[in-house]
């Protein structure tokens, strides 16, 4: 069964390609390589022993996307393509509204025209904004705190509207918490361009000596050690979550929205300590002011995904750090 992955050459998409092949599916990648590297394709061939079909273009090109869906006989779509830097979204909101919301509208129109109505959407815990409490369940109120999170929230609402109008749509909305880690081969992993916004890739670059120290954004939060607490989830678990979501849509045909998290929260300092243990390298830290838009704590109640999908995260924080270290130390300049 052929499955289209928009943004499939990216961090989450590439790991999901591997999981799909292991589950007996045939992934087809659609990517414009605006935030990913063609070198990923060779790495995926090394890992899977298969050449994965790749269509290079923009998801905003609706007629072209419809042609891709028809030519490959696509049975379902996993939609990863989109911009995802919170800070950039504040600086360039229109880029985010055009690429993320416009891209989703274009994809849905192409799917409608091609008669493909099974979609898994990459959403984010950012739709919860600053939660009133933790752990977070799927019925928590949604509120955006930045244009990036707003695009995820709007796309979720678009999908709900499509479902109402055309009940035949099978829609799986996955709210990721904090994806980290890499495939155990060390051949694929997170490869942010420029200075990493996110904690784990920044820590990894300090460990290999690319950055002198880590700025810890705030140590006066109402958390056990004063630093921000997040639900870090291994990208391998996230990839398996997509396979489980796809299988549930195909088997039961019922739409759902679930959190993909571990249900555990770890602080910045706990991540630093775990990474030092995994890498054997010191991670010098400097306390810095809080980062605008950050929340104190954000972690999932993952019970609904277990009930509906039979899925549960398996990897520990130590696994996440070990696999990140293997990827980063083997690829100090990422895919370049
Ligand atoms: C984690 C913690 C920081 C960097 C964002 C998006 C979310 C998703 C994941 C896309 C926080 C602290 C970080 C640093 C630090 N992205 N930190 N020094 O902000 O929870 O989530 O990325 O889907 O949608 O909102 O992740 O890794 O940026 O931060 O102290 O150099 O690490 O303050 O407490 P975040 P993050």
């Amino acid at each position: 069964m052929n499955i289209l992955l928009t943004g499939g050459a990216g961090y989450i998409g590439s790991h999901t390609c591997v999981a799909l092949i292991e589950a007996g599916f045939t992934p087809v990648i659609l990517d414009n390589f605006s935030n990913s590297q063609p070198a990923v394709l060779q790495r995926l061939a090394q890992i899977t022993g298969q050449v994965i079909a790749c269509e290079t273009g923009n998801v905003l090109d609706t007629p072209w996307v419809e042609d891709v869906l028809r030519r490959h006989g696509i049975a379902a779509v996993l939609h990863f393509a989109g911009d995802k830097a919170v800070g950039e979204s504040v600086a360039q909101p229109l880029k985010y509204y055009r690429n993320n919301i416009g891209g989703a509208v274009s994809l849905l129109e192409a799917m409608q025209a091609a008669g493909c109505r099974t979609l898994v959407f990459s959403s984010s815990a950012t739709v919860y904004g600053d939660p009133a409490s933790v752990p977070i369940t799927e019925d928590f109120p949604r509120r955006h705190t930045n244009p990036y999170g707003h695009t995820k929230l709007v796309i979720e609402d678009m999908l709900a509207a499509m479902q109402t109008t055309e009940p035949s749509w099978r829609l799986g909305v996955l709210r990721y918490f904090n994806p980290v880690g890499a495939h155990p081969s060390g051949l694929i992993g997170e490869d942010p361009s420029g200075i990493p916004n996110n904690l784990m890739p920044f820590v990894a670059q300090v460990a290999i000596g690319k950055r002198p120290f880590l700025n810890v954004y705030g140590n006066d939060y109402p958390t056990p050690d004063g630093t921000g607490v997040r639900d870090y989830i291994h990208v391998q678990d996230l990839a398996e979550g997509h396979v489980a979501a796809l299988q549930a849509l195909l088997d039961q045909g019922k739409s759902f929205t679930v959190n993909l998290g571990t249900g555990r929260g770890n602080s910045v300092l706990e991540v630093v300590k775990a990474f030092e243990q995994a890498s054997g390298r010191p991670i010098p830290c400097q306390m810095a002011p809080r980062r605008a838009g950050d929340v104190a704590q954000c972690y999932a109640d993952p019970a609904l995904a277990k009930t509906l999908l039979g899925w549960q995260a398996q990897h520990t924080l130590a696994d996440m750090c070990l696999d990140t270290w293997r990827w980063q130390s083997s690829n100090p300049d990422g895919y370049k």
Side-chain angles (χ1 to χ4, degrees):
M1 191 179 285
N2 293 353
I3 309 296
L4 185 69
L5 286 81
T6 70
Y11 174 41
I12 316 293
S14 55
H15 287 80
T16 305
C17 274
V18 177
L20 283 169
I21 288 172
E22 287 168 354
F25 292 101
T26 303
V28 175
I29 289 173
L30 181 156
D31 210 304
N32 66 358
F33 295 99
S34 62
N35 193 24
S36 53
Q37 303 287 334
V40 174
L41 301 175
Q42 287 90 335
R43 299 293 180 90
L44 287 173
Q46 273 181 270
I47 294 169
T48 65
Q50 292 186 25
V51 175
I52 298 174
C54 180
E55 296 277 351
T56 303
N58 196 318
V59 71
L60 284 163
D61 181 348
T62 313
W64 174 71
V65 175
E66 180 187 348
D67 176 55
V68 169
L69 290 165
R70 291 184 188 281
R71 271 190 292 110
H72 291 276
I74 297 297
V77 178
L78 308 188
H79 182 39
F80 298 100
D83 297 309
K84 65 162 210 107
V86 169
E88 186 188 45
S89 80
V90 174
Q92 302 179 59
L94 291 182
K95 171 183 177 183
Y96 275 68
Y97 290 122
R98 170 177 290 281
N99 288 343
N100 292 6
I101 296 176
V105 170
S106 174
L107 173 65
L108 290 168
E109 287 176 334
M111 290 178 71
Q112 221 168 21
C116 175
R117 284 179 170 66
T118 303
L119 173 72
V120 176
F121 172 57
S122 159
S123 190
S124 167
T126 309
V127 301
Y128 295 116
D130 189 356
S133 62
V134 282
I136 299 170
T137 52
E138 288 81 357
D139 60 352
F140 268 33
R142 296 178 307 152
R143 48 193 160 206
H144 63 280
T145 53
N146 54 71
Y148 161 74
H150 192 198
T151 66
K152 294 296 188 183
L153 197 153
V154 167
I155 296 166
E156 286 193 6
D157 289 347
M158 276 170 32
L159 295 176
M162 292 292 293
Q163 182 82 82
T164 304
T165 308
E166 295 182 48
S168 62
W169 281 87
R170 300 181 292 188
L171 302 165
V173 175
L174 307 181
R175 292 175 179 161
Y176 305 170
F177 280 69
N178 287 63
V180 296
H183 188 267
S185 66
L187 289 170
I188 56 175
E190 189 172 8
D191 182 22
S193 53
I195 300 173
N197 296 303
N198 297 136
L199 178 66
M200 190 65 89
F202 199 105
V203 166
Q205 289 190 12
V206 172
I208 60 166
K210 199 165 185 176
R211 313 269 171 211
F213 58 86
L214 169 76
N215 279 307
V216 177
Y217 296 140
N219 63 345
D220 59 351
Y221 284 104
T223 60
D225 65 15
T227 62
V229 171
R230 297 291 185 274
D231 186 332
Y232 297 97
I233 175 169
H234 198 296
V235 66
Q236 293 291 95
D237 284 325
L238 207 57
E240 291 301 335
H242 285 75
V243 175
L246 174 63
Q247 203 63 66
L249 289 176
L250 295 171
D251 296 347
Q252 292 134 40
K254 286 179 64 182
S255 297
F256 51 80
T257 296
V258 294
N259 291 333
L260 290 191
T262 66
R264 292 187 308 277
N266 285 114
S267 74
V268 174
L269 295 181
E270 285 173 333
V271 170
V272 167
K273 184 164 180 249
F275 207 93
E276 289 180 325
Q277 285 168 347
S279 63
R281 300 287 178 87
I283 309 291
C285 294
Q286 278 195 354
M287 291 308 147
R290 292 183 178 189
R291 181 172 65 174
D294 273 355
V295 301
Q297 297 200 80
C298 178
Y299 57 87
D301 177 335
L304 189 58
K306 178 122 175 65
T307 304
L308 296 183
L309 310 182
W311 170 91
Q312 190 171 8
Q314 303 296 320
H315 292 76
T316 65
L317 182 61
D319 298 328
M320 298 173 209
C321 293
L322 276 167
D323 291 335
T324 301
W325 174 240
R326 187 180 305 109
W327 152 253
Q328 189 72 84
S329 54
S330 315
N331 303 274
D333 293 319
Y335 292 109
K336 294 170 190 61

